[in-house]
Amino acid sequence: AQKVTQAQTEISVVEKEDVTLDCVYETRDTTYYLFWYKQPPSGELVFLIRRNSFDEQNEISGRYSWNFQKSTSSFNFTITASQVVDSAVYFCALSELYSSASKIIFGSGTRLSIRP
Amino acid sequence: EAGVAQSPRYKIIEKRQSVAFWCNPISGHATLYWYQQILGQGPKLLIQFQNNGVVDDSQLPKDRFSAERLKGVDSTLKIQPAKLEDSAVYLCASSLGAQGARTGELFFGEGSRLTVL
């Protein structure tokens, strides 16, 4: 069965600090997608990134970077030089590529607070 | 381009009452999803529509929850009768096609927060 674990319930850092959000996943499939979403106080989830299980290259987008390690079943998200606008709940998620009944399974989220 | 619209944003009811939530997806999006997000948890898929047909309703508590998308555009989610444990945010999302459930390219509304007293 699929499962996504985000062990960090809440993180609070001071602005300009770097912060890493952890994500560990479980799946029996060899082909799957991993995602990160951001949920700001307004409530809508915003898609940030997708990685497929064949591509372990790390990705950087501005202040955001993602570290995918199949050996440890982890897909961690780092924000460099955090800003107050980064305050939100972040969800890691997983879906299987070829399952006929594919759905996105979300972790429980990490609430990130950036203090000025 | 208008996003996914949901109403009402907030609703407070007593247990055993009924409630309905409405969702209008992004124009042209064939696939519509309803998610339930309980406080402190990630969203859980309740039902997925492809046009006006149901693709997946395996996690919908069918004894009290119902959903429809009669004309393949907007959708209504109903709870009758409500229980305390139904207190949650109900998120509607849409995608161009059914592959959204795999690729994660879903567009979410701001949600409808339900409190059951």
Side-chain angles (χ1 to χ4, degrees), chain B residues 4-94:
Chain B
V4 176
Q6 290 189 246
S7 68
R9 288 296 312 275
Y10 305 93
K11 189 75 176 179
I12 301 174
I13 61 173
E14 296 191 349
K15 61 183 179 185
R16 291 188 288 273
Q17 287 186 325
S18 62
V19 63
F21 301 112
W22 173 84
C23 171
N24 188 245
I26 291 174
S27 178
H29 280 195
T31 311
L32 185 147
Y33 314 77
W34 282 102
Y35 284 85
Q36 180 192 56
Q37 185 178 11
I38 292 172
L39 186 65
Q41 298 181 19
K44 181 184 83 171
L45 180 69
L46 292 176
I47 189 167
Q48 176 182 340
F49 291 96
Q50 179 69 19
N51 297 309
N52 60 351
V54 175
V55 173
D56 182 354
D57 64 356
S58 57
Q59 299 188 99
L60 187 74
K62 298 180 186 65
D63 57 333
R64 297 181 300 105
F65 286 64
S66 65
E68 59 184 16
R69 193 184 185 203
L70 293 175
K71 296 181 181 177
V73 180
D74 54 355
S75 175
T76 303
L77 176 71
K78 296 179 182 176
I79 308 174
Q80 181 179 14
K83 291 185 173 181
L84 297 177
E85 59 261 36
D86 299 332
S87 294
V89 175
Y90 291 87
L91 292 163
C92 180
S94 69

Side-chain angles (χ1 to χ4, degrees), chain A residues 7-8 10-12 14 23-24 30 41 45 59 64 79 82 84 86 90 93 100-101 104-105 107 111:
Chain A
Q8 303 153 308
E10 293 192 39
I11 300 175
S12 180
V14 176
C23 173
V24 174
T30 56
L45 273 82
E59 179 151 342
Y64 294 173
I79 301 175
S82 60
V84 173
D86 296 327
Y90 290 86
S100 60
I104 298 173
I105 304 298
R111 181 177 298 277

Side-chain angles (χ1 to χ4, degrees), chain A residues 40-61:
Chain A
S42 53
E44 79 281 12
L45 273 82
V46 177
F47 171 86
L48 294 178
I49 190 172
R50 174 182 67 243
R51 304 300 284 168
N52 73 55
S53 51
F54 296 119
D55 184 359
E56 284 193 71
Q57 245 187 339
N58 292 332
E59 179 151 342
I60 298 175
S61 175

Side-chain angles (χ1 to χ4, degrees), chain A residues 51-83:
Chain A
R51 304 300 284 168
N52 73 55
S53 51
F54 296 119
D55 184 359
E56 284 193 71
Q57 245 187 339
N58 292 332
E59 179 151 342
I60 298 175
S61 175
R63 296 183 297 106
Y64 294 173
S65 62
W66 292 270
N67 183 293
F68 175 28
Q69 294 199 346
K70 266 176 121 167
S71 59
T72 55
S73 297
S74 65
F75 186 43
N76 296 338
F77 173 27
T78 297
I79 301 175
T80 303
S82 60
Q83 299 177 3

